[in-house]
Amino acid sequence: MPTNRNNNHFLHLDKPLLLSLVLLSSLGLVVLYSASSQNFDLIMRQIMRILAGFVIMLGLAQINVQKIIRWVPWLYLIGIVLLVLVLIIGESSKGSQRWINLGLFRFQPSELMKLALPLMVAWYIAHKPVPPSYGRLFLALIIIVIPVFLVAKEPDLGTSLLIASSGLFVLLLSGMSWRLISGFFITSISCLPVLWYFMHDYQRRRVLTLLNPETDPLGAGYHIIQSKIAIGSGGFYGKGWLNGTQSQLQFLPERTTDFVFAVYSEEFGLLGILVLLCIYFFVLTRGMYIAMRAQDTFARLLAGSLILTFFVYIFVNIGMVIGLLPVVGLPLPLISYGGTSIVTLMAGFGLIMAVHTHRRLLEH
Amino acid sequence: MSSTRLLLKDTVLENKIFGNRILVAWLMILVLLFVIIVRLFFLQVIYHERYTTLSKSNHIKILPLRPTRGLIYDRNAVLLAENRISYSLEVTPEKIKNIDELLNNLSQIIAIDETDIAHFKKQLRQVRSFKTIPLRHRLTEDEVGRFAAHRNSFPSVEVKQNQSRYYPLGKTGVHIIGYVGRINEKELERIDKSDYMGSDYIGKTGLENFYEKELHGKTGFQQVEKNVQGRVIRTLESIPFVPGKDIYLNIDIVFQKYVEELVAKHSAAVVAIDPKTGGVLALVSMPYYDPNLFVRGIDVKTYHSLRDSPARPLINRAIRGQYPPGSTIKAFVGLAGLEYGIRSTRSRTWCRGWYSLKGQKHRYRDWKKTGHGSMNLHTALEQSCDVYFYSLAYDLGIDRLHTFMKRFGFGEKTGIDISGEMSGLMPSREWKQSRRGKRWFPGETIITGIGQGFMLATPLQLAVATATLSNRGVFKQPRVVFAMDDGRQNEMTVVKPTVKTTIVLKYNTYWDAAIGGMKAVVHGRRGTAKKVGRNSPYRFAGKTGTAQVITIKQSESYNASKLAKKYHDHALFVAFAPLNNPRIALSVIVENGGGGSKTAAPIAKKAMDFYLLRKSRLRLAKKKVTTPP
């Protein structure tokens, strides 16, 4: 690849994005150290993952998006095949079947789909001028529904929600008319009572517990009650690093994974949260800026969708921990302990960077 | 390559759309982040104090509040199932130091057996450590006292007050009420665990099982703060429990007990229904057992002796016993003949003591060897002539017979509100082909006409069909529960009688013919049960039946004295009274009781006498009664 004089980087990188991601994951390690009760092994494992994530991100950032575009449908198809396979021969753990064993390592096809779906929908929409016609919107919806259904069947509702939103964001950004969007929205909401009518009693009960966990204080509601105590007792300044009693005394469940935000809030207070949210907001704004500046439809749809999906992560996780949203198992991006999602997230940012740093090459 | 096509697009428009969308998304993100911050401001600044207190003494525990189980009353508000206070020994797992030592020391004071320990250890693995686990139920007062004396040596153990179910009338009505017992593993999978957090018991059979949801109520929860010793300091929040509903039955327990005593010496079942409402007045299955045994946790020996007793006391014969209905169904078969135009009320059949198909040697015998002579529907019912019905059934054919009998509920569950009902069997061509893999033979139709062969019915089905007949086709769903009371308002909700179907015949006079025949059974000169109808202060209708337990060979005749008791015929009787304004319809079956007229009919008559002739005992239910809109 010829070096580009207009680009100031030796590597194709977006410095502001890179720096803020490094900042976020370092902050994450600090919180995890406390949340895991100073467990060094856990920190080391997380560091290895983050490093792997950064390597993949930097690797992907070097790719010219225009060159990979023709591989997109194949990637999507492979993703679908793997999702079907996982339902047939997948390995289950904790009651759901998400993993596929490739001999050397285990792997979650739904993670692949987190990237493959926005790529595919963006590829499909970018074929014709935007805004897309009704027919193309309909086909795009089918492209979205298939993997979402397969992932939901594993069952992994959190991930299928993410995948669905990554696909829908592409459509939203592509200029789908507001009337259609609101129509869609209203239709789905008005379908809910119909669905409710057809549900069994026990299913209704589950939905109710999901919507209002505090009616089930010994199950899901236990998490929320403990988490609210942790956050509320943190106050404005927080109790200080390693001083959160809720988390240190292990009242808080899932401290290192889904509920890590509660630990952070307890120890760093509202002040710390504002700092964290600012970093997130910076990442989001930068990502959207990159999407705006992208020079072809495919690239901007992709970048836009990826960055908005990143926000869904943040909002759903925090919303759950502070008791605004039902308990859906999604990690807090770049902070929560946990394997594959970090790598996928970083790969997403790699794609966003690729969109940005290669844009001038198009002009040749 | 797509880049050439890309250049052809309207880039200006596209930029505008995209920029617009990104801006909207960005603003949306701002709004949602603001929502998060506002919420956190509330939690961390405004309610900070409250949460600090909670976290400082974080011994916030959540305790289930067990709902009180609904009581069961009969129609006159006589208490049938109540909750009594009992004491249990409970252990808090997080305070145990050494389990084996603890159990060892405890067993010096209080009797603890192997099953208690096994049950306890199983729960120990499943339950959160701060929740207490019962070790022994139903401590005697003596044991409570002994434990109190040694209390200080067992910091992890406490005596808890519980409510446990008690059936004050013991055996009476057990097959209706059923019983509760400890929740077992199968049930644990089925129930909503958080709703049974505080409950150890669940309805196992009868009404206790059928109305489990209503009787159980809804568990409440209490968020409490505990000190280091685990004593509750204060209650922070609580969701009160919703008590179970009390239920009132259509059963008149005095009548029930009277009927139970009537059949006490037999293996028998009696079902009595109010034809007007479908309300079940009495439902007796004999022998019976004491439900209180099961609440306490029955010991294996007693259980096996009940289970293996040849009289099968655990089986609810009234709804689960499936018997050949015998001649009790003749009125319905007669109606089928009229309805399909096979016979008129005046059609006559000659009875010479047996019936056979043309060209076949096999003789279908009448119970009266010498024959009844010329018979019409009325006299055939009165004298229970088999030949009339053999010939009628043959002319009808199994298909029409099957269709018609189904309308009266034969071969189908009645839908009574007691768990475990069986459906009986109304055979058909299809049934035989699919279940037995054989085609239907005409001879099988013939014996179906007198309720023998494959046909089976439960005593409940016979009573329901008789009630429907007495109602001239209005088929009321049988109901045990009369009303429910959720204790909230000063009134209770009546369970409306529901009409399952209304059977409409071509002519209403057909009903008169069938009922008239049944009236002649008890009031006619040659009626098979004329003895019970004699001098009756009210007029009624009935039909005797005798169901063969074993097949008698062509060359032999039935001789009770030669057969072991268990091969004796079952005696059946169905009846309703008074004739013109029926208030009670019932079926009686006495296993191996011999003939219907001899054994079953007198029982039915005594039961009807008791119900109809005694002075009205009905007290008003204690609350005002309303019907749901």
Side-chain angles (χ1 to χ4, degrees), chain B residues 346-570:
Chain B
R346 277 176 294 177
S347 311
R348 289 195 166 267
T349 303
W350 182 261
C351 170
R352 55 181 156 173
W354 49 270
Y355 175 83
S356 67
L357 291 172
K358 270 197 185 104
Q360 285 185 14
K361 267 193 195 154
H362 187 95
R363 286 185 173 185
Y364 298 90
R365 289 181 294 197
D366 196 284
W367 64 270
K368 192 173 174 186
K369 269 185 186 172
T370 53
H372 294 92
S374 173
M375 288 278 121
N376 62 13
L377 177 61
H378 188 85
T379 51
L381 281 174
E382 177 183 18
Q383 300 172 39
S384 199
C385 166
D386 292 332
V387 168
Y388 179 92
F389 290 98
Y390 286 147
S391 133
L392 171 55
Y394 181 74
D395 292 347
L396 271 167
I398 188 62
D399 299 331
R400 287 191 278 195
L401 197 54
H402 174 82
T403 313
F404 191 81
M405 296 302 274
K406 276 240 148 164
R407 295 171 74 181
F408 283 88
F410 289 104
E412 279 168 7
K413 290 182 181 173
T414 63
I416 192 173
D417 45 350
I418 303 179
S419 301
E421 183 187 7
M422 301 290 273
S423 63
L425 174 63
M426 188 63 225
S428 66
R429 235 180 262 284
E430 294 74 27
W431 166 82
K432 199 182 173 202
Q433 191 65 51
S434 70
R435 288 303 177 81
R436 302 286 172 103
K438 285 184 188 144
R439 69 183 183 84
W440 185 265
F441 294 107
E444 292 160 349
T445 312
I446 292 167
I447 54 173
T448 306
I450 62 157
Q452 294 284 358
F454 299 118
M455 186 176 175
L456 296 171
T458 64
L460 174 65
Q461 283 174 329
L462 286 174
V464 168
T466 307
T468 306
L469 179 70
S470 79
N471 270 347
R472 289 158 194 262
V474 182
F475 192 141
K476 288 270 164 65
Q477 173 118 25
R479 281 275 154 232
V480 176
V481 167
F482 160 69
M484 291 196 213
D485 180 2
D486 61 9
R488 281 187 206 158
Q489 285 135 8
N490 198 26
E491 51 193 35
M492 48 189 184
T493 317
V494 167
V495 179
K496 256 192 191 168
T498 45
V499 178
K500 217 167 157 189
T501 49
T502 301
I503 301 167
V504 181
L505 299 183
K506 274 189 200 130
Y507 296 103
N508 259 331
T509 50
Y510 292 169
W511 296 110
D512 302 331
I515 292 172
M518 279 176 66
K519 178 196 147 200
V521 170
V522 289
H523 297 302
R525 202 161 50 83
R526 291 164 174 272
T528 51
K530 63 172 186 281
K531 269 187 198 157
V532 297
R534 191 174 294 150
N535 302 325
S536 172
Y538 52 89
R539 292 201 301 164
F540 65 107
K543 185 71 199 77
T544 53
T546 303
Q548 282 179 15
V549 176
I550 55 165
T551 314
I552 309 295
K553 290 201 188 98
Q554 284 280 295
S555 54
E556 289 173 21
S557 61
Y558 178 81
N559 185 341
S561 57
K562 279 193 205 159
L563 287 165
K565 173 91 175 168
K566 67 174 178 176
Y567 297 127
H568 285 191
D569 291 344
H570 295 328

Side-chain angles (χ1 to χ4, degrees), chain A residues 3 10 31 121 144 148 209 243 329:
Chain A
T3 43
F10 168 67
V31 183
V121 180
I144 296 171
V148 167
T209 316
N243 283 332

Side-chain angles (χ1 to χ4, degrees), chain A residues 126-127 130 172 176 205 218 225-226 228 231-233 235 246 251 265 270 273 285 291 297 300 322, chain B residues 5 9 14-15 17-18 21-22 26 30 39 43-44 48 51 55 58 62 128 192 194 197 221 223:
Chain A
H127 255 295
V130 291
L172 231 66
M176 181 181 175
R205 210 162 49 222
L218 293 164
I225 291 169
Q226 292 298 343
K228 270 160 69 179
I231 295 170
S233 64
Q246 274 294 104
F251 281 115
S265 314
L270 188 55
I273 292 170
T285 309
T297 319
R300 62 171 51 137
I322 64 181
Chain B
R5 243 185 297 153
K9 291 180 193 167
E14 195 187 312
N15 278 335
I17 291 176
F18 191 75
R21 290 297 156 103
I22 285 282
W26 190 76
L30 266 181
R39 168 77 169 180
L43 288 176
Q44 299 196 292
H48 174 59
Y51 285 113
S55 88
N58 194 333
I62 289 141
R128 281 207 188 89
D192 177 358
S194 68
M197 216 66 195
F221 292 98
Q223 217 185 59

